[in-house]
Amino acid sequence: MLTLFGKPEPTLLDRLKQSVTKTREQLGARIGPLLAGGRSVDPQLFRELEASLLAADLGVRTTKELLAGLREDAERGNFQDAAQLKEALKKRLADLLRLPEAAPAANGARPQVIFVVGVNGTGKTTTIGKLAWRLKQEGRPTVLCAADTFRAAAIEQLEVWAQRAGVEIVRQKTGADPAAVVYDGLSSAIKGSAEVVIVDTAGRLHTKHNLMAELEKMKRTAAKLVPGAPHEVLLVLDATTGQNGLAQAREFTAHAGVTGIVLTKLDGTAKGGIVVAIARELGLPVRYVGTGEQADDLVPFDAPTFVNSLFD
Amino acid sequence: MFDNLTERLQKVFKTLRGQAKLTEEHLDAALGAIREGLLDADVSLPVVDELLAHIRQKSLGTEVTLQLLPDQQVVKIVRDELLELLGQPVRLQFASKPPSVWLLVGLQGSGKTTSTGKLAKWLAEHGHRPVVVSTDVYRPAAREQLAQVAQAIRQPCFAGTGLDKPVAIVRGALREAKLSAYDVILVDTAGRLHIDDQLMEELSQLKQELSPTEILFVADAMTGQDAVRSAGEFHRRLGLTGVLLTKLDGDARGGAALSIRKVTGAPVKFVGVGEKYDALEPFYPDRIVSRILGMGDVLSLIEKVEKTVDQKKAQKLAEKLRKSEFTLEDFRDQIRQIRKMGPLEQVLGMLPKIGPLANMPKNLEIDEKQFKHMEAIINSMTAEERTDHKVIDGSRRKRIARGSGTSVQEVNQLLRQFQEMQRMIKQYGSMKGRMRGMGKLAGLS
């Protein structure tokens, strides 16, 4: 985005290389001779692949399904060697993840309203800060809406990010009704000429009935002010999350109508493979990947690079 | 939502009935099921495989006893194995000469700041004088967050105003603790990746400076396979003394607890079970094992009920029941309390699927809307109608239906249900009365 001027923005590949190098150097992660060319297709190979996929948090079900498909192909003699089989597996994974990209900006709504939701501690506020910075770089006037009125100092944290990114912020006091903050934020965006409003919501476990209902109320408020809002609901998912990620995606989709995922903390050693299981079951695309704490540590998702990283 | 292990094993052992010993073949199938169950619960792969090797050894040649079915027997072996790994609850460590320092460390977003607040409250309630301090000079408003938390729980916080180096901040806190006679300093540190050399080094420095008696690794119960790496690296660098497992109030199975224990040897000392500052509990290994195995968590269910039910209201209700004064208002309270417990499916999910519950449909759909409608109907009544339902005539029923967005039929149905309940309560009340009378006769009360 906006790479016509200035240096091109770093890609997911660049970012992962940085962090993977770190990993390799420090933990001496084994990048084994797994699947080097010439190796034949045998049961041991499948065991190794299974281990890789499970260790990347894809989950038993998704892993089994992927490998069953490959086994069938192998029995038909489709693969000359291990390398070919690996390519086929990567292709299957990438196909699962390459979902029709809804172009949220293209529907022309103004302001475009983005809700950012998720369980506690996944990095919602930080992600919003980075998103705001991104939008600012693209020259799109943005308003942040501090609707996490529950967590201590959540509003102050978002304020710092608004300052860093140089965008407007609408806030009320801690403890205020989040739907009222949404109302204020959207009204202010309509009055001004903001193009995008990003709503920060309090972290909530997807099992908490009343809190999920609160999200629904915030959505209704948004829709009253801007028809069709929210246009995008981003679920922020921590890459270290295991199988519970699927339950999170299910519940947030049911209650808040999630349209895409932001996968955070991918600069560690966690692989974030649960997004494959989520894509398989719910068809939710990953939109962005978070790779650090700096404002520019948010890059667009890129399926082939992500798939490669699963096997590193 | 999850297949539980007992169910899986029941399928495996269907063919085994009538045989005297567990055979290798059956065992392989059973171990496969156990493996999948543990992986689904987020136990790390290497830990799973090691556990399985143990379980295989213990199970082979086990005689099929008459008392236990083979699946129950294997479940027992698995359970015992997991319990053994988790170990017994361990005492907390304090310095012989106060102040003791407890360091809270972990990845970003695991819940360190909230847990620091919970621990301070817990310590204060157990006769200590804690002070909290944040060394998170990186994340925006992190120190402000801890200050606000401390204010909410009414415990002192060392702000370290003007200081921006973690070591300088903790030195100030140490001085302050000695001056004000605080006996435990809780140090909330910045979240960091275990592979971030610079920040990990910073923790080592803090450790050297403070000689903490506890270094608690704060870990998210939802953590997946990466738990072994992150916890392992934190342990290698710092020598963890314990684990605080957070966000156990969700539906994560919490297999990370096993992985972390395996790689660090550090016992879980506390679990976080909610967003409120009193939502901190000691760790009970048997509960988490049941949870990991998907065997239902009856104890947690009981606790949930106890927590949700307002004790005062419950007593008042008991009194009313005794006097047979159960009104529509009380009925509404009951509905509200049921709804407050969360999705009923989830509550039912905590029950073990055995005995009379074995045949309960798996994905039992309960219409939560029905409760919502019932509440709306009662909400649309006047105070008079709620205390005396007999005044609700045809035109009032129409009005109530309109007000609650339901139909007259639904209003009628609710009133019928209510009357039925009232009748039962009257019977119960008079029965109790008679029993009391009998007790008197027998000289019991």
Side-chain angles (χ1 to χ4, degrees), chain A residues 123-243:
Chain A
K124 284 177 292 303
T125 310
T126 307
T127 297
I128 291 170
K130 296 176 190 171
L131 258 182
W133 189 84
R134 237 191 131 76
L135 290 163
K136 178 79 180 179
Q137 302 302 304
E138 290 172 19
R140 303 173 67 191
T142 302
V143 173
L144 301 187
C145 181
D148 178 358
T149 57
F150 179 81
R151 203 199 73 203
I155 300 171
E156 286 84 346
Q157 188 183 349
L158 192 68
E159 257 175 344
V160 174
W161 274 109
Q163 240 166 37
R164 277 187 195 169
V167 301
E168 197 192 321
I169 179 170
V170 174
R171 55 164 292 183
Q172 286 185 17
K173 279 201 196 94
T174 300
D177 175 8
V181 188
V182 171
Y183 188 93
D184 278 8
L186 264 58
S187 310
S188 149
I190 293 165
K191 251 182 250 147
S193 54
E195 223 177 279
V196 185
V197 185
I198 311 178
V199 178
D200 188 13
T201 64
R204 65 202 72 218
L205 290 178
H206 51 288
T207 50
K208 304 264 157 102
H209 208 51
N210 49 345
L211 294 179
M212 295 308 276
E214 182 189 87
L215 263 188
E216 290 172 5
K217 183 181 167 195
M218 291 162 75
K219 279 188 68 180
R220 284 196 299 273
T221 305
K224 270 181 207 154
L225 284 168
V226 181
H231 310 92
E232 173 109 270
V233 178
L234 294 175
L235 174 70
V236 179
L237 201 73
D238 187 328
T240 59
T241 310
Q243 298 312 299

Side-chain angles (χ1 to χ4, degrees), chain A residues 19 22-23 26-27 29 50-52 54-57 59-61 64 119-122 126 150-154 156-158 160-161 164 174 203-209 211 238-245 247-248 250-251 265 267-271 293 312, chain B residues 1-2 8 35-37 39-42 45 107-110 114 138-142 144-146 148-149 191-197 199 220 222-226 229-230 233 236-237 247-253 273-277 339 342-343 346 368:
Chain A
S19 55
K22 233 185 328 185
T23 317
Q26 295 191 6
L27 290 184
E50 185 198 42
S52 297
L54 288 174
D57 284 317
V60 172
R61 196 166 165 184
K64 264 182 156 176
V119 299
N120 317 64
T122 54
T126 307
F150 179 81
R151 203 199 73 203
E156 286 84 346
Q157 188 183 349
L158 192 68
V160 174
W161 274 109
R164 277 187 195 169
T174 300
R204 65 202 72 218
L205 290 178
H206 51 288
T207 50
K208 304 264 157 102
H209 208 51
L211 294 179
D238 187 328
T240 59
T241 310
Q243 298 312 299
N244 193 249
Q248 291 171 29
R250 275 191 204 120
E251 290 302 311
K265 309 184 199 175
D267 47 333
T269 47
K271 305 289 191 194
E293 293 179 339
D312 279 341
Chain B
M1 194 189 327
F2 298 106
R8 288 183 198 216
R35 182 167 187 262
E36 287 183 7
L39 285 167
D40 269 347
D42 287 325
L45 188 58
L107 301 172
Q108 290 97 338
S110 53
T114 307
Y138 310 100
R139 185 169 61 95
E144 170 68 21
Q145 185 184 347
L146 187 67
Q148 289 186 15
V149 168
R192 65 202 72 213
L193 284 171
H194 48 291
I195 51 170
D196 188 326
D197 193 49
L199 285 181
D220 189 325
M222 298 180 269
T223 312
Q225 297 286 322
D226 197 48
R229 291 209 202 177
S230 52
E233 191 60 14
R236 190 180 71 76
R237 293 258 194 166
K247 306 178 204 174
L248 261 180
D249 46 331
D251 58 358
R253 300 274 285 278
V273 290
E275 299 201 51
K276 301 217 174 85
Y277 296 114
R339 288 187 66 196
Q346 191 200 329
E368 307 267 342

Side-chain angles (χ1 to χ4, degrees), chain B residues 124-189:
Chain B
E125 278 164 6
H126 286 77
H128 291 276
R129 279 171 51 83
V131 60
V132 300
V133 56
S134 167
T135 61
D136 187 352
V137 295
Y138 310 100
R139 185 169 61 95
R143 289 164 80 185
E144 170 68 21
Q145 185 184 347
L146 187 67
Q148 289 186 15
V149 168
Q151 204 178 19
I153 55 167
R154 297 207 185 88
Q155 294 300 323
C157 172
F158 178 73
T161 317
L163 302 172
D164 58 358
K165 294 273 185 312
V167 170
I169 296 172
V170 295
R171 276 187 191 146
L174 214 52
R175 247 193 323 274
E176 172 77 19
K178 282 176 187 155
L179 279 173
S180 307
Y182 297 129
D183 70 341
V184 185
I185 307 177
L186 294 173
V187 183
D188 178 22
T189 63

